[in-house]
Amino acid sequence: MFTPLHHLKQRITHSLWEADPGYLHLRQGTRTLLASIITLLVCSWPGLYTRVLAGFAAGLVCQGISGINITAQKKTFTIATTALLAYFSLISYVSPYPLVIAIVIICASFSVFALRALGPRYALFPLFVWIMGFMTSLFPSATGTDFIMRLGCIALGCGISFLVYFYLLPPRPLSYFFENIRYFIILVHTRSLTLERQLHQPNPFKGKEKYSLTLRYSLRKYYLHNQTILASFEVADFTRKNLFLSLLASHYLAGKALLMLQDNLITLARGILIEDDQIKIALCQSLKELSAFTQNIDVRASSLKVILKDRTLTCLKSVSTLKELLEKSTLNTVDLVPLYQFINSLNELCDCLCAFAQEPILEAEEASYAQ
């Protein structure tokens, strides 16, 4: 009973990660929802309009945070909260005057787009501040004690948003960098088995464009996500920083090699070499060995390590077989080029996968992640 449930859980987890690496959008959406719900529950005593504005403000502030590290994100949050409270106060003050409030909202609309030129920090929150002001203009105005209570509830909502964002669901740790590597290795494993199965088909790689597009999408997704994660960390030790940059470079080269491996195999399957039973068997064996080779790589995200379970298994035996067949073949050199390129890409992919096993351990100054 445990095994089927365990496999189901793994499949769901893998599907979620494929759709949203690092759970970036899922985490951000959860933060926004939690901040709004907690604010509505805490602010139970004021009127309905005050509670709605407070919950709305808490969610907007969560969505507007940006920055490459934790310090920058906290600065953005402070600026966004101050701007939101100030703009809310201004809209509340001029709300009795329809002409004035129309002028203020129009001027603020142009200001939002002007502020975007100041840099990435101002890309999101000015728009959300403007939305907050627009929502405020639609609700009945509050004066005196009611205004102070409404302003206090909105400030409380922003404070709750701060706690949810930075402490309840904090920016993700560096371990997600290694999780992406782990899922990339799983991609190599599954893709090699898929390619091997295709070789046994009567018409292999029918619709080859589909294979290239899906693989390019997955490779780009994992690499860009890891690139963003690494850029968000401040590391005092440049040696360790270089180790992680080396891992990122290996990630890129391994993805490139996998893509070339697939392209070369598709070319082989369309040529005359595939008619040779020995070559076809050797190609299938190399893909099986590649899928088995990936299981020799152990990614330990919690300890920031990638290790080889058995360091003696760093070369595929099938590569030697393919080279022997290449040397014995009587075909023209031009006809043998795709097989030669396949062997090179297979060797390069294995070398890049082995390069992951450098066992670096990083102590980042800030466990931060760019949103």
Side-chain angles (χ1 to χ4, degrees):
M1 186 65 182
F2 171 76
T3 302
L5 289 176
H6 180 67
H7 286 309
L8 178 61
K9 179 182 177 182
Q10 283 188 328
R11 289 190 64 180
I12 292 174
T13 303
H14 188 268
S15 298
L16 285 174
W17 195 281
E18 275 287 314
D20 184 16
Y23 307 127
L24 173 63
H25 303 295
L26 181 63
R27 178 177 287 257
Q28 186 71 336
T30 304
R31 286 182 185 136
T32 304
L33 188 62
L34 275 178
S36 298
I37 291 175
I38 293 173
T39 300
L40 289 173
L41 293 175
V42 171
C43 299
S44 58
W45 70 92
L48 176 62
Y49 294 130
T50 300
R51 294 173 64 193
V52 170
L53 284 175
F56 195 67
L60 286 178
V61 170
C62 252
Q63 288 290 327
I65 297 175
S66 61
I68 61 171
N69 54 55
I70 209 81
T71 302
Q73 290 173 11
K74 287 182 177 179
K75 288 180 179 178
T76 303
F77 182 90
T78 302
I79 296 172
T81 301
T82 304
L84 188 144
L85 294 175
Y87 190 56
F88 165 78
S89 300
L90 177 61
I91 292 296
S92 298
Y93 179 74
V94 301
S95 59
Y97 313 102
L99 179 60
V100 177
I101 198 172
I103 294 173
V104 169
I105 289 177
I106 291 172
C107 292
S109 302
F110 287 100
S111 301
V112 166
F113 293 99
L115 286 171
R116 294 170 69 91
L118 298 179
R121 174 181 292 174
Y122 301 89
L124 293 176
F125 82 81
L127 176 61
F128 295 137
V129 169
W130 181 89
I131 292 174
M132 182 65 188
F134 182 75
M135 288 291 296
T136 303
S137 67
L138 298 178
F139 286 6
S141 60
T143 57
T145 306
D146 292 336
F147 167 74
I148 298 298
M149 180 177 291
R150 187 171 291 185
L151 183 65
C153 288
I154 292 174
L156 178 60
C158 292
I160 291 172
S161 181
F162 179 87
L163 294 175
V164 169
Y165 191 96
F166 292 106
Y167 296 99
L168 185 60
L169 288 173
R172 288 163 303 185
L174 188 59
S175 60
Y176 281 94
F177 181 90
F178 288 86
E179 281 292 331
N180 273 318
I181 290 179
R182 185 172 74 85
Y183 277 101
F184 168 72
I185 293 173
I186 291 174
L187 175 66
V188 177
H189 174 78
T190 56
R191 181 51 62 114
S192 58
L193 291 178
T194 301
L195 295 175
E196 191 266 336
R197 284 196 300 269
Q198 279 295 315
L199 282 179
H200 292 290
Q201 299 295 323
N203 184 16
F205 305 109
K206 183 179 180 181
K208 61 179 182 178
E209 294 79 10
K210 178 191 69 174
Y211 284 90
S212 297
L213 287 175
T214 55
L215 183 59
R216 285 180 187 276
Y217 174 75
S218 296
L219 293 175
R220 188 173 184 272
K221 177 173 54 181
Y222 287 129
Y223 174 74
L224 290 180
H225 191 254
N226 265 358
Q227 188 179 44
T228 307
I229 289 176
L230 191 58
S232 67
F233 279 81
E234 297 178 1
V235 186
D237 191 334
F238 288 102
T239 302
R240 289 175 176 174
K241 181 73 171 181
N242 289 335
L243 281 173
F244 275 79
L245 288 173
S246 178
L247 277 177
L248 187 65
S250 298
H251 188 171
Y252 173 77
L253 293 174
K256 183 179 178 182
L258 178 61
L259 191 62
M260 291 179 63
L261 177 76
Q262 177 178 273
D263 290 342
N264 293 330
L265 188 63
I266 292 174
T267 303
L268 280 169
R270 304 280 176 173
I272 59 175
L273 284 173
I274 203 66
E275 298 175 1
D276 189 323
D277 291 337
Q278 286 185 316
I279 290 179
K280 186 174 181 179
I281 293 171
L283 288 173
C284 292
Q285 184 62 30
S286 67
L287 293 171
K288 287 180 181 178
E289 288 186 13
L290 176 61
S291 66
F293 175 75
T294 57
Q295 296 179 324
N296 186 41
I297 303 172
D298 184 16
V299 182
R300 301 176 182 177
S302 58
S303 57
L304 310 184
K305 290 183 180 180
V306 183
I307 64 174
L308 291 176
K309 297 177 183 177
D310 187 351
R311 289 188 173 273
T312 61
L313 302 177
T314 56
C315 297
L316 304 184
K317 295 179 181 179
S318 56
V319 173
S320 300
T321 304
L322 287 169
K323 287 182 178 179
E324 291 176 1
L325 293 173
L326 187 63
E327 293 171 357
K328 295 178 181 179
S329 179
T330 58
L331 294 174
N332 295 328
T333 305
V334 176
D335 296 325
L336 294 174
V337 167
L339 182 58
Y340 176 77
Q341 292 175 335
F342 176 83
I343 294 172
N344 283 343
S345 58
L346 186 61
N347 278 326
E348 184 179 354
L349 178 56
C350 291
D351 290 341
C352 291
L353 292 175
C354 289
F356 282 138
Q358 299 183 34
E359 301 189 34
I361 300 177
L362 182 71
E363 294 178 1
E365 292 180 354
E366 292 181 309
S368 60
Y369 182 82
Q371 294 298 325

